[in-house]
Amino acid sequence: MTSLPSTSLRAGRAGFSTALLGLVLLSGCVNTLPDQDLRIRVTPIVAKMPVEFLWKEYQADAREANRKYWGKAVEISGKATQSDTHDTGGPSKSYLLFKQSETFGVRANLLDEDAAAIVKDAAAGQRVHLKCFCAGLNGHVVLKSCVKA
């Protein structure tokens, strides 16, 4: 009967452990952003634009827009067409919507601690300036952790 050398067995276990660790680490690399991320306050912006421009970029080429903006801080401005401050059980209690079509637009999910002041300004019909993390296109262009710019 032939037995495997102990070094081959150890090497096999080490390789398996390394592969398993790699899979665990990769599973943590998902394409999601936190809904309430306080780092937005100190993160430098990569772009400053009206909401219409951000919307048009995503409609023209979502892959290219994601390359430029996904996970990065952007500063947007515009007049909100809808706001909600009700806690519906979603990830963000409050949001502003800047409609760009019949059903979709740019949805700015607000940082909870700043939401009341932002919604108040938006309700008064004022142009709002927000700094947010861009989370890509999901029907709406989704922005997260938005604060006053």
Side-chain angles (χ1 to χ4, degrees), residues 78-85 95-98 110 114-130 148:
K79 287 189 178 183
T81 54
Q82 181 180 338
S83 64
D84 194 353
T85 58
Y95 69 89
L96 297 180
L97 180 63
F98 303 86
L110 307 176
D114 292 18
I118 295 170
V119 170
K120 182 180 176 186
D121 286 349
Q126 295 181 25
R127 187 170 188 83
V128 292
H129 297 266
L130 300 174
K148 279 187 177 184

Side-chain angles (χ1 to χ4, degrees), residues 21-129:
L21 177 61
L23 285 173
V24 168
L25 291 174
L26 282 176
S27 68
C29 298
V30 293
N31 285 339
T32 59
L33 296 173
D35 293 303
Q36 298 288 308
D37 191 344
L38 294 174
R39 292 176 297 173
I40 191 64
R41 297 192 188 285
V42 295
T43 303
I45 62 169
V46 297
K48 184 177 184 177
M49 68 196 94
V51 291
E52 297 84 6
F53 183 79
L54 183 62
W55 173 257
K56 286 177 185 172
E57 283 216 47
Y58 268 95
Q59 295 309 300
D61 188 348
R63 180 175 284 167
E64 177 63 16
N66 270 341
R67 188 189 65 72
K68 288 169 38 178
Y69 305 121
W70 193 94
K72 298 173 182 147
V74 296
E75 185 177 321
I76 55 107
S77 61
K79 287 189 178 183
T81 54
Q82 181 180 338
S83 64
D84 194 353
T85 58
H86 298 21
D87 186 0
T88 58
S92 184
K93 294 178 184 169
S94 303
Y95 69 89
L96 297 180
L97 180 63
F98 303 86
K99 273 194 166 184
Q100 302 297 310
S101 72
E102 187 65 32
T103 52
F104 296 111
V106 177
R107 180 184 165 123
N109 295 330
L110 307 176
L111 197 64
D112 288 344
E113 59 193 56
D114 292 18
I118 295 170
V119 170
K120 182 180 176 186
D121 286 349
Q126 295 181 25
R127 187 170 188 83
V128 292
H129 297 266

